[in-house]
Amino acid sequence: MQDRPTRLLVLGGSTEASELVRQLPPRATTLSLAGRTTTPGPVPDGVARRVGGFGGVPGLVAYLRAESIPAVVDGTHPFAAHMPFHAAAACDACAVPRLRLLRPPWSPRSGDDWTMVASMDEAAAAVAARPSARAFLAIGRQELVAFEGCDPSRLVVRSIEPRPQGVLDGADAILDRGPFAFEAELALLQERRIDLLVTKNAGGEATRSKLEAARQLGIPVVVVARPPSPPGPTVATVAEAAAWAVAQLAAVADETAGAVT
Ligand code: NAP
């Protein structure tokens, strides 16, 4: 009977995780997705993809053991609040090496008018404090419920998939997926007469252009800070994560060869 190939586990959810998967040996890689989007992007031939939660830390521990996972790259989104901690706990329990791939946050530049807030509730309070402002919520659909105290007729909401029924009925909806070009963001802010932008501090290039457009138009921005991340080795670039992952796979291959000779 042929052994199953050893596969490193990439926890996806970010652009960088998808890019990392494209750079790794396909038959040595599993990409795991939470399953929040109904049409996830394609993966290279040979990459194994699994979708759906593991069932908390115990479920992930069981998965790491059952699949003999040699190493984990946590490439979840900077706003994934739970999975990074689950990954840290499960990898510690199984003595599996783990690396977090986390792009740097944005920081304000000259000409920016940012209000930093710690949570979506605080962002909603900042919007409610300016009832005459037309606010653009560029935060996805999962946390829109925090804005239910705001007048929906003053809100423009952008998400990849439609917001849940009954949430902010009456708000203007834009269904779109980044990356977004600067000119398009500029036009959108002008056409929709936006005078307040709300964003998560996601970092990265794909969605930065809305901040540049807001700066150009002098539009204030409410920026929601990231949730905490577990301690442990972290890199900011796909290249660094790929080098680490390839080294982990090479170490496993060396161990296996040593055991055979
Ligand atoms: P979360 O709070 O960290 O995760 C909630 C639960 O979803 C986890 O406990 C886990 O379920 C499951 N999960 C998350 N990432 C997974 C993965 N890569 N593979 C398998 N299961 C996963 O994250 P979230 O905010 O709900 O986001 C869900 C996913 O969307 C994450 O992968 C994240 O990277 C991505 N995402 C999030 C945002 C955001 O703004 N929050 C934006 C873009 C993309 P179990 O406990 O059952 O294992």
Side-chain angles (χ1 to χ4, degrees), residues 9-15 31-37 50-60 74-86 100 103 120 139-140 142-143 160 200 202 227:
L9 178 65
V10 177
L11 299 171
S14 64
T15 318
L31 171 65
S32 174
L33 297 173
R36 296 288 189 273
T37 46
R50 64 164 304 287
V51 179
F54 295 94
V57 177
L60 183 54
D74 174 3
T76 52
H77 188 270
F79 275 81
H82 302 97
M83 195 68 222
F85 285 93
H86 293 184
R100 180 124 202 233
R103 59 192 181 228
M120 213 46 88
I139 57 165
Q142 312 239 19
E143 290 153 285
I160 295 175
K200 298 175 178 182

